[in-house]
Amino acid sequence: GAPSAGDTDPNGDTDLAGRPAVGRWAGADGVTSSGVLPVAVLAVRITHAAEGHEGPIGRTITRQHQAAIELLVKRLRPADRASKVGQDDFMLYLPALGYDDAVAFAYGLVADFAAAQQASSFLAATVTVALTVTRRRPLPQDELRQAVDWAITQNAPVVTIEG
């Protein structure tokens, strides 16, 4: 069957949908795809709202996380990639997407999660996004993760960093 979200190949070089080559794009091994094309990179953190004092448990939390991932990848184009890099942290790689379109994409994610929360309390989650559009390799993933941390302290849904 089709790979489920989060499956990886033995080399760990697949995205959430099981598509290959995330590591090569990121320049993680010092090897990148041919040429140095600009790529929009978005660090995304999903923050789940706790229900009660202990939050949801068991299958409910698993289903909520799966629904959040599905909402996250819904906007991706065929060439885009998404990787889970932490419990609720993701990196999205959007090749050939300009700065304005990347910012619009990020705000679209924020709106998608807000609309999902309005439609059903089941997916009570928000997203915080830090993004850049860069030709730099390796991609500035650590800087983006730090920017997400900072954005959360500022209650800012979307922040940008210099590529």
Side-chain angles (χ1 to χ4, degrees):
S4 63
D7 283 351
T8 58
D9 72 8
N11 299 322
D13 192 19
T14 56
D15 75 347
L16 289 170
R19 296 175 299 206
V22 173
R24 276 190 63 184
W25 286 14
D29 332 350
V31 177
T32 61
S33 301
S34 61
V36 185
L37 300 173
V39 60
V41 185
L42 288 73
V44 179
R45 179 164 305 145
I46 299 173
T47 304
H48 298 273
E51 295 178 4
H53 293 295
E54 298 176 14
I57 56 171
R59 287 188 200 152
T60 301
I61 191 76
T62 301
R63 183 63 195 119
Q64 284 179 334
H65 282 260
Q66 186 63 33
I69 290 170
E70 289 169 6
L71 196 56
L72 185 66
V73 300
K74 180 178 81 164
R75 287 186 167 267
L76 298 181
R77 304 166 302 170
D80 298 339
R81 299 291 184 267
S83 292
K84 186 171 183 172
V85 295
Q87 173 67 29
D88 291 307
D89 292 332
F90 300 85
M91 284 288 172
L92 307 184
Y93 308 92
L94 314 175
L97 195 67
Y99 176 82
D100 291 341
D101 290 334
V103 170
F105 184 99
Y107 278 104
L109 282 177
V110 172
D112 287 350
F113 275 79
Q117 188 167 353
Q118 288 294 320
S120 168
S121 61
F122 175 74
L123 182 57
T126 58
V127 291
T128 304
V129 182
L131 71 93
T132 191
V133 177
T134 186
R135 292 178 182 271
R136 197 172 110 198
R137 302 296 187 275
L139 295 170
Q141 296 176 96
D142 290 337
E143 293 94 327
L144 286 165
R145 284 187 197 107
Q146 292 168 8
V148 166
D149 291 339
W150 180 84
I152 288 171
T153 68
Q154 302 300 307
N155 201 28
V158 177
V159 297
T160 62
I161 66 169
E162 192 68 35

